[in-house]
Each structure stands twice: as C-alpha cells, then as structure tokens.
Amino acid sequence: MSKTMEKLNNNIKGILAFALTLVVADVWAQSGTNLTSDKVKIEIEQSDKINDNPVFNDSIKINSELKYGMVERKAPSTFKLKPITAPKLGTTPTEVSKLYNGFVKLGVIDFKNLPFSEFNYGSKYSKDYIYSIGFNHFGSDMKVSAPARARFTQTQLELSGKRFVKNYTLFGDMSYNYNTYRYYGSLFPFSEANEDLNKQGFAMGHMQIGASNAHRDTKIPYHKLTLDYYNIFDHYGMQENRVAFNGLLTSNLKALDDTKLKNLKLDVFATLDWFTYNNSALLKAKNSVLAMIKPVFKYRTEKFNGRLGASVYSLQDDTSGTHVFFPLAELEYILIKDVFVVYGKFQGSFQRYDYWEHANTNPFFNTTMALNNTRHFNNAFVGLRGNISSKVNFNVGLETDKMKNLPLYVNDIDTYGNSKFNIVTDQVIMSRFYGQLSLDLPKISIALKGDYRNYTTYSELKAWQLPAITAGFSGKYNFQNLIFITADVYYLGGMFAREYDMDNKVVATELPGVVDANIGFEYKYSKRLNAFVNVNNFLNKQYRRWNQYPNYGINFLAGASYSF
C-alpha cells in the first residue's frame, strides 16, 4: 500500500509540475529560462517572432501613371448675323404722329395791328438728312413818353440742314436778319427836316458750312471743322465783314489705357478769324487777324472732374501785333453724390466785339465809333450747387474778373438831342455774388435768381449803364394739360448814366430801378391748334433801361398757333 501511495503522490506532483510549467511558459515564453522541479527538468528554447507589418522587397515595379491624349475633331456650326436695329422715336404710331412738319404762329398788339408772325417747316426724323426753314417777324409802333416815335421791327429768315454720310455729318445754315430802330430818346422832337436822323437799321447775313465725324470706333479722335462768314451793315454806311475758321479735336489718349491716367482726354480748339470794318468816320477800312489755339486736358473720375490747359492768342492789325497767353484750370468735386457739388474755374480770354453784338446789347449806339477788343485777366469763380430734394436745386457762387477795354455806353452830346450812345472803354474789376433756386413739380415750376456786382473803374467815375443788382422770378403752371400760365418778373438796379453839370464837369446820375412784370396764358384747344395772350409790363412801369429811352408801358400780344 505504501508503494501505491508513493506512486499516487508522484503522479500528483507530475501533474502540478506540468501545470506550473504551462503558466511560466506563457510569461517567459521568449526569455529562454530553464525551469526545474524535484523530478522533472524542462528547458524552453527562444523562438523567432513574426513581424506585425510584413515588408515586401520586390525588384519589379509596376508604373501606374496614366497619360491622356486628345484627338482634334472640328464640329460643324452654322449661324446667321442679325443686325441690331436703330432705336426709333416713339413706341407707338400715336406717339410718332405727334411730330409735325410745319408750325405757324400769328399775333396782334392791343388787338389792332398784326406785328408778330412766326413760321417753321422742316423734315421729320430721318437717318439720311434733316432740314428746316424758319421765318419770324416782330414789331411795334406804340407811343411812349418821348418826343420821337419809338417804332422798331425785327425780322429773321433762316435755312439749315444736315446730311449723314457714312461716318461723317455734313451741315450748313444760312440766315438773314434785318432790324430797324428809332433814336427816339432825344431831348428834342424830330421835325420832318431831320426825321432821317431818327432812323437806324442793322442787317446781317451769315453763312456756315462744316463737318464732324461720327465714328463708332473710339480709337479715332472726334473732330469738327466749321467755316463762317458774316456781313453786317447799317443805315449810315457802316459795313463789316468777317471770316472765321474753327476746329476742334478730341482724343482719348489710348496710350494711357493701361495706366492710372486712362481717363485722361485732350481737347484742342483752334480759330483763325479775319475781320474788316469801315464807317463814315474812317478814311479807310480797318483790318485785323486773330489766331487762337487752346489745348485742354480733361480728367474724370467717379467724384472728380477737372480741366487744365491754356489759350494763346495772336492779334495782328494794320499797325501792330499782340500776343497773349492765358492759363485755364477748372474742377468739380462731388461732396455728396446727387446732393452737393463744389466747383471752381480760373481762366483768361480775348473777346472780340463786332457791330452786331453791340446792336443786340444797345441798338441806340453810334456806329461811327471804333471797335475794340476786351481782355479778361484773372477771371475766377467758385461755387456750390446741388439738390435740396428731388424737386429743389440751387446754385451759389462768387466771381471776380479783371477786364481791359470793357465797352461802356454814354450819351453822345454831339448828336441831335443826345439821342445816340458813344462807346468808351475802361479797365474794370468786377466782383459778383450770384445765386439761383428752382422748384420743379409735375404741374408747376418756379425759378428765382439774382446777383450783386461791384465795379471798380480806372478812368471813368462809374461803369456806365451796367446794373449792380439783377434779380428775377419765373414760373409756369400746367392746368390739366389744357391751360398753361407763365409769369416772370425781373429787376435791374444800381445803374449810372454819365451826364454834365452847369460847369461842364462829368457827374454820375443814378437811374431809377427797372421793374418789369409779365404774364402769359396759353390754351391748348387741340394737338394742332393753340391760342395765347401775353400781357407785358402789366404794372405799367415807365422805366428806362438806357438813359433818356423810356420803355413801353402795359401792352398786349394775342394770337394763335397751328401745327401741320
């Protein structure tokens, strides 16, 4: 039995040793440790471990890069050009039918005489040509508080036309004006013997031809050329001829398109003016030639608009020559878009006066006077304009101008009754403040404007006959597109006339202020027929714009117009 127990114990020890061997082998499987028991000796050998990430070293590599190629093939395509039609005036036949070829207007003064007539006829819209003919006549023989008759007439005939040829526009016009006046501002009445001394008449014929380009390609500079001819004469033998050649060239300066100055443009103005005149006081005609060139650079941005340049004048007359240079600088800057714009300008100029310009200013001047040219030095102004609202806009500013040989009108004491005006010239510095306010509504529009001027003279006591204060009001009211009412009032004040005292010394006599108020009514009977009545100087003020020349009192002009 003892042997049996011993054998059992040995088996149990063997089982326990085997189990212990399994546990230790799990812990030190790769350490190469020898395990020994009393009866059993177990030796564990180190083994190689397989890598977690196998590495393949293949000598043959596969290139997976793909190359793409294109084979050109033209796909046939067909298209047809469709021209863009030009925009047309009006969108319906009804709107187009509102345009008429002709227009005639007739009127009477004080419902007695027929002193007013107007006629116009022209072509309608056309892409090839346009033409027009016009005639108007106005006159009056009303009595005024003067010793002589104040009769006058104004007549004009005009022809004009344009022809559109490829990229150019050819144009021309002819006009003839004939105006008659009376030197009625005499201190004494005119008798039948000296009635001819009371008459005056001016006639002017004018012709112009020219051409301008209309290229759509902006690479081609815009250019315009004109040739003008004037002939002027009067009742006393004065005669004047004038030929003027004018040119304008505008370039966009394409060389600067890729620079910061791409908005820079250049305008070049040029004039060649030949002038001759003669009158009964001259032994021979006076001749002169005036040449001018004025290059101006223009630059515009979203808020800024500027011009910088100069003008060079060269005047050659029968005895001497003069050359004058004037700079030019002008700018506009938008302070607030669509609200406020500040602007300023500095320039000089050479102004040529002719007899026709004097006749339109003061028709009672003496045409035996010599003509002079006026130089404007240091003419500068600054201002602010803008919109208070969408219906109200304004403009205010200051201006100064230094002028040499400014023409002034003084009564000629050597003519019968001092009825004519001589022309004297002086160096004058003018300072001016001006303002304007306007209201524009669907049915009513109103405008107010005025300025105050201060004149500083060099030789004369005053700037004779020039107003220091001018003010005006104008308005228009539309009543249901049937009745239109217009009104205007203007005021002139601060004018002085040159007169003489008992010692034959020059004195300055201030003239009374001028107030002239007018109102007009127009009734639209149909699209073709209208009737009108104008009441002029309805306050019946006996004012004098020119010394010794009383104006008409209240007077009426009534008539009708018809379109065909």
Side-chain angles (χ1 to χ4, degrees), residues 127-128 162-170 212-214:
K127 65 179 182 180
D128 297 321
K162 289 185 179 181
R163 182 74 167 90
F164 309 108
V165 181
K166 292 184 178 180
N167 294 320
Y168 279 88
T169 300
L170 308 178
S212 63
N213 73 323

Side-chain angles (χ1 to χ4, degrees), residues 445-457:
S445 60
I446 297 174
L448 299 170
K449 62 180 180 180
D451 63 51
Y452 171 78
R453 305 181 186 220
N454 180 66
Y455 299 97
T456 301
T457 56

